[in-house]
Amino acid sequence: MAALAEEQTEVAVKLEPEGPPTLLPPQAGDGAGEGGGGTTNNGPNGGGGNVAAASSAGGDGGTPKPVVAVSTVAPAGAAPVPAAAPEVGAPHDRQTLLAVLQFLRQSNLREAEEALRREARLLEEAVAGSGAPGEADGTGAEAASALLSRVTASAPGPAAPDPPSTGASGVVTVSGSASGTAAPGKVGSVAVEDQPDVSAVLSAYNQQGDPAMYEEYYSGLKHFIECSLDCHRAELSQLFYPLFVHMYLELVYNQHENEAKSFFEKFHGDQECYYQDDLRVLSSLTKKEHMKGNETMLDFRTSKFVLRISRDSYQLLKRHLQEKQNNQIWNIVQEHLYIDIFDGMPRSKQQIDAMVGSLAGEAKREANKSKVFFGLLKEPEIEVPLDDEDEEGENEEGKPKKKKPKKDSIGSKSKKQDPNAPPQNRIPLPELKDSDKLDKIMNMKETTKRVRLGPDCLPSICFYTFLNAYQGLTAVDVTDDSSLIAGGFADSTVRVWSVTPKKLRSVKQAADLSLIDKESDDVLERIMDEKTASELKILYGHSGPVYGASFSPDRNYLLSSSEDGTVRLWSLQTFTCLVGYKGHNYPVWDTQFSPYGYYFVSGGHDRVARLWATDHYQPLRIFAGHLADVNCTRFHPNSNYVATGSADRTVRLWDVLNGNCVRIFTGHKVQWIIQSGCGMLSKHLKI
C-alpha cells in the first residue's frame, strides 16, 4: 500500500510527424559525445505529482500531430505500469489533451499550460470552451475532473511546490502536489515565429521571479559559499559564473533592463578572469530582441553547464537552498546546470583550475569512458637491402677486409603487435605504393645511422623565415622530409617553394608524353618538363583567404582550405586543382591529411569537423558537438581517431569508425591556446 501511495503520475504530450521516420546514414555520425546517465539534480522540496509536456520537431515527414501518452511512474521496488499512447486523431484523444490543459489551468500553472497549448497548436478559446458548463456532451469536463482526481489522489501529501521549469530540450516540467499554488504570472498570446526552436529556447527564461530580488538571491548564495569551509568553498564557487549568466539572461528576456544592468555591473567583476571575454559578449545583450539568433545566448541555453562536485558539497548546497526557500536559484541549478556528483573528498582549488575554463564547464565522466585504441599500427614488413660497405672487398693495401657479422634486414623481423593498437583492419587503409616503400626504406637506413642526442651532441636546426609577405601569410605546412614548403595567403593564392637545390617542374604536355619510352628506367624524370623548372609555383583557385594547408605523406598532393567554404586538392605533378570539396557552409579554418594518406579532415566556422576521402566528393563522417568554431584538426598516428580544437576551449577526440566523441579534454582558458594545444596533442601522440 505504501508503494501505491507513493506513485507519481506523469502525463506527456509530444508532437510526431505523420510521415515515415527517417534514419540518418551510418557514415554521418553526429558524435555529440555528451555521454549518457541520468540527471543528478533532485528538488529540495521532495516529490509530488509530475506533469510533463514534451515536444519534438515535426521533421520533414509532414505536419506534426500531437500524441498523448499517460504513464504512471512508480517508486523503486514497485511494479511498472504500462503506458498507452493513442493517437490524437480520435475525439477521445483530443479530450484527454484538453483535460491536461484544464488541469494545468485549475492548478494555476499558466506557464506550463501556455507552452503545452502553443506546442499543440490549440487556441485558448478552445481550451476554455472545452470545459465550459452547459457543453452538449460534457466529456471534456468529465475527463478533466477524472484526471484531476487521479493526480490529486496519487500525491503523497502536501508539499511546497516547485516553480515550473523548462528543460534544455523543450520539455516543460511542473513538480509539486496538485493542491499547491504557483506564483501568478502573465500569460499572453504568442505569435508563431519563423524559428520555433529559438522561441522555445528563449521561453525557458520566462520566469516570474521578482526582478528586484535577484541581487539579493545572488548575494545570499555568494555570502554562504564564502563563509563555508575551505574544503567546500572551491567546489561551490564553480556555481558563480553559470548562475550569474542565466540570472542575467532571465532579467534581459523579461525586459527588466535596468535591473539586468545593475546586476551585471555589481557582480561581473567577481567572475574568474578567463571568463572575461565571454562576459564582454554577454554585456552586449541588453534587450530581449538581442537574444534572438545570438549564438552566444543559444550556447548558454542549449548546453547544460557541467560541474563536478563532491556529494558532501552538493548536500550542503541543497540544504542551504531548502532552508532559504531559494527556488529561483534552485530552478536554474535544475534546468541549466548538470551537476556530476562523485563520492570522495572535495577537490582543491588547484585541481579544479586544471579542468575548468571551457564554455560548457567540465566534461562529463560518461563522455570519457569509451575505450580508445591509442597504440600504433604494426609496420609492414619491408626487406631492406644491405649497404655495399657491408660486403667483402679489398682495402687499399690489397688485403681482404674482415668479414662483418651479417645484419638482420631492417624490418624483416616481425614486431610484436602493440596491445593497445586497434585491429589492422578496423578501418580500410590504402596499400603502400612502391614509392612509399622506397621512402620507408630510406627512413629505416637513416634511422640506423642516427646518433644519440645529448648535451655533447646537439642536433643541427635550419630555420626558414617568410619575409615581405605582403599578401598576408595565413597558413603554412612543410613536408616530412623538409623538401617543400606551402603557404596560404590572404589574396586567395597557395604558393609552393622548393627548399632544396631540386627545382619544381611540371609534367610535359600530352603530345610530348606520347613520344617518351615508357619502359625506360628514368621515365619519371623524362616526363618532367625542364622548361617549367622554378623554385616557386603559385596555385590559383580559391576565392578567399587560405587558412589551412597540408601535404600528403607521399608529397604528390596538397590540400588547402579557404574562407570560401571549400577544400581543394592540388596535384604537385601538374600544379593544378584536381577536386574542390564543398560541404562546409562557412569558412574552413584547417585541414589535414591522414598519416596514411587517402583520408583527410577539415574544420571550420560551422562548428563541425568533416572526414573526407580523396575519391569521394561528400564527407564520410561529420563530427558535431563543439559549441564554437573548430580551429584546428589533427589525425592520430594510427588514423583511427581525429582530434579537434575549438574556440569553445575544448579538445575532442573522435572515432573515425563510428563518428562518436570518445574523449573531451578541458582546461584551456583562452581561445588562442587551442590551436597550439591541438598541435601539441598530435605531437605527443607521435612520440
Side-chain angles (χ1 to χ4, degrees):
M1 296 300 292
L4 294 177
E6 293 179 0
E7 284 188 349
Q8 295 179 350
T9 301
E10 182 174 338
V11 182
V13 181
K14 62 181 180 179
L15 298 177
E16 292 184 352
E18 293 182 355
T22 302
L23 296 179
L24 292 176
Q27 66 268 21
D30 55 2
E34 295 296 337
T39 179
T40 57
N41 297 332
N42 299 315
N45 299 324
N50 291 336
V51 181
S55 67
S56 63
D60 298 329
T63 304
K65 56 181 181 179
V67 175
V68 180
V70 181
S71 61
T72 302
V73 182
V81 181
E87 294 186 358
V88 181
H92 172 74
D93 302 323
R94 178 180 176 84
Q95 295 163 8
T96 305
L97 176 60
L98 295 177
V100 174
L101 294 171
Q102 284 290 333
F103 166 71
L104 296 176
R105 173 167 293 188
Q106 293 178 15
S107 301
N108 202 18
L109 303 174
R110 301 302 299 274
E111 295 175 16
E113 177 199 351
E114 178 70 12
L116 177 58
R117 183 177 60 80
R118 185 170 63 251
E119 293 292 346
R121 292 178 171 82
L122 292 178
L123 297 178
E124 190 170 2
E125 291 77 5
V127 179
S130 63
E135 192 174 2
D137 52 4
T139 54
E142 293 175 4
S145 60
L147 179 64
L148 179 61
S149 60
R150 179 181 176 185
V151 175
T152 306
S154 66
D162 290 340
S165 60
T166 304
S169 60
V171 178
V172 181
T173 306
V174 182
S175 303
S177 62
S179 60
T181 59
K186 300 178 182 178
V187 179
S189 60
V190 179
V192 178
E193 299 287 346
D194 295 335
Q195 296 178 334
D197 53 339
V198 176
S199 300
V201 166
L202 293 177
S203 64
Y205 289 120
N206 193 17
Q207 301 293 336
Q208 302 303 326
D210 185 2
M213 297 296 294
Y214 275 57
E215 292 187 9
E216 182 178 341
Y217 291 150
Y218 192 87
S219 298
L221 180 65
K222 180 182 176 183
H223 177 74
F224 162 74
I225 293 176
E226 291 177 346
C227 294
S228 60
L229 296 177
D230 293 343
C231 60
H232 301 297
R233 186 185 308 146
E235 284 193 331
L236 295 179
S237 296
Q238 301 178 75
L239 291 165
F240 287 151
Y241 175 68
L243 287 177
F244 170 81
V245 171
H246 289 294
M247 293 177 76
Y248 174 77
L249 291 177
E250 281 188 6
L251 290 172
V252 173
Y253 180 79
N254 290 283
Q255 300 181 358
H256 305 301
E257 299 175 6
N258 294 331
E259 290 82 355
K261 181 179 179 181
S262 175
F263 181 83
F264 187 91
E265 292 178 351
K266 184 174 182 180
F267 298 110
H268 83 279
D270 298 335
Q271 311 307 318
E272 297 287 353
C273 59
Y274 41 79
Y275 290 127
Q276 294 305 314
D277 290 339
D278 299 332
L279 294 176
R280 191 177 301 110
V281 176
L282 190 67
S283 64
S284 63
L285 303 176
T286 58
K287 295 181 181 296
K288 181 178 179 179
E289 291 75 15
H290 298 166
M291 301 176 67
K292 295 182 180 180
N294 186 278
E295 294 181 355
T296 303
M297 193 286 307
L298 292 177
D299 290 338
F300 283 123
R301 178 61 191 93
T302 57
S303 59
K304 287 193 173 185
F305 197 90
V306 181
L307 304 172
R308 289 195 63 194
I309 297 179
S310 64
R311 189 171 300 277
D312 293 341
S313 299
Y314 177 76
Q315 293 297 336
L316 185 66
L317 172 66
K318 183 177 178 180
R319 192 180 307 114
H320 167 75
L321 296 178
Q322 186 175 7
E323 292 174 355
K324 299 296 184 180
Q325 292 294 320
N326 197 340
N327 288 334
Q328 196 70 29
I329 288 183
W330 185 253
N331 285 338
I332 296 177
V333 172
Q334 285 187 308
E335 298 165 17
H336 305 292
L337 308 185
Y338 181 94
I339 299 182
D340 192 354
I341 302 175
F342 66 92
D343 296 317
M345 294 292 295
R347 295 185 297 170
S348 64
K349 177 67 173 175
Q350 291 76 12
Q351 291 174 317
I352 295 174
D353 286 343
M355 302 300 295
V356 300
S358 71
L359 283 179
E362 298 187 43
K364 299 178 183 178
R365 285 180 292 176
E366 291 82 0
N368 291 330
K369 288 186 176 180
S370 302
K371 180 177 177 57
V372 175
F373 299 99
F374 56 84
L376 300 180
L377 295 176
K378 183 180 178 181
E379 291 288 342
E381 297 182 2
I382 301 175
E383 293 290 337
V384 180
L386 298 176
D387 294 334
D388 295 337
E389 62 183 14
D390 295 332
E391 299 176 358
E392 281 192 56
E394 294 184 356
N395 55 18
E396 296 178 357
E397 299 178 358
K399 296 181 180 180
K401 291 183 179 179
K402 293 183 179 180
K403 188 175 181 179
K404 296 183 179 179
K406 186 177 181 181
K407 297 181 181 179
D408 293 327
S409 296
I410 305 172
S412 61
K413 286 188 176 181
S414 59
K415 299 179 181 179
K416 293 183 179 179
Q417 179 73 24
D418 190 337
N420 299 314
Q424 202 76 18
N425 58 351
R426 188 171 184 263
I427 61 172
L429 294 174
E431 296 182 0
L432 287 179
K433 296 180 293 186
D434 292 339
S435 58
D436 298 332
K437 293 180 180 180
L438 291 176
D439 289 341
K440 285 188 174 294
I441 290 175
M442 294 300 298
N443 292 335
M444 291 177 181
K445 287 183 177 181
E446 292 178 358
T447 301
T448 60
K449 299 177 182 179
R450 67 183 180 185
V451 296
R452 187 178 298 276
L453 301 179
D456 299 331
C457 185
L458 299 177
S460 59
I461 301 175
C462 181
F463 289 93
Y464 292 93
T465 304
F466 282 88
L467 298 176
N468 304 325
Y470 299 113
Q471 300 85 1
L473 181 67
T474 52
V476 68
D477 191 35
V478 185
T479 56
D480 292 336
D481 62 351
S482 301
S483 61
L484 299 174
I485 292 180
F489 291 85
D491 63 353
S492 73
T493 62
V494 180
R495 299 166 187 256
V496 183
W497 286 270
S498 173
V499 292
T500 63
K502 185 177 180 180
K503 295 184 178 181
L504 300 177
R505 298 170 297 173
S506 301
V507 178
K508 293 180 179 180
Q509 299 295 328
D512 298 331
L513 291 176
S514 60
L515 304 177
I516 297 177
D517 182 11
K518 300 179 179 58
E519 302 298 331
S520 60
D521 295 336
D522 59 345
V523 63
L524 295 179
E525 287 293 328
R526 292 189 178 188
I527 63 175
M528 308 308 294
D529 190 357
E530 294 295 337
K531 298 178 181 178
T532 62
S534 63
E535 296 180 353
L536 168 65
K537 294 290 184 179
I538 303 178
L539 310 178
Y540 298 96
H542 283 295
S543 59
V546 179
Y547 292 116
S550 176
F551 284 103
S552 63
D554 58 4
R555 301 179 297 282
N556 289 327
Y557 303 99
L558 173 67
L559 284 171
S560 61
S561 60
S562 170
E563 185 189 38
D564 59 14
T566 64
V567 179
R568 289 183 176 267
L569 180 68
W570 307 86
S571 170
L572 298 182
Q573 302 295 330
T574 61
F575 295 98
T576 58
C577 180
L578 302 178
V579 189
Y581 302 95
K582 299 179 180 179
H584 291 273
N585 298 323
Y586 297 97
V588 186
W589 302 129
D590 192 29
T591 185
Q592 196 208 22
F593 256 115
S594 163
Y596 293 88
Y598 183 65
Y599 299 111
F600 65 93
V601 64
S602 62
H605 181 60
D606 54 6
R607 305 184 177 191
V608 298
R610 287 173 166 82
L611 178 74
W612 310 76
T614 53
D615 57 355
H616 288 69
Y617 65 92
Q618 290 183 341
L620 305 179
R621 297 286 185 273
I622 297 178
F623 306 121
H626 281 294
L627 301 179
D629 298 21
V630 178
N631 293 336
C632 71
T633 55
R634 293 292 183 274
F635 268 95
H636 190 284
N638 62 24
S639 287
N640 280 253
Y641 301 94
V642 169
T644 57
S646 171
D648 64 5
R649 302 188 289 274
T650 64
V651 175
R652 288 175 178 254
L653 190 67
W654 308 88
D655 193 340
V656 169
L657 181 64
N658 50 36
N660 293 334
C661 180
V662 294
R663 290 292 184 272
I664 302 178
F665 305 101
T666 61
H668 286 297
K669 303 298 187 293
V670 290
Q671 295 182 11
W672 61 270
I673 294 182
I674 291 295
Q675 291 197 10
S676 60
C678 187
M680 291 172 61
L681 173 65
S682 177
K683 292 178 181 178
H684 172 71
L685 295 173
K686 289 181 181 179
I687 293 178

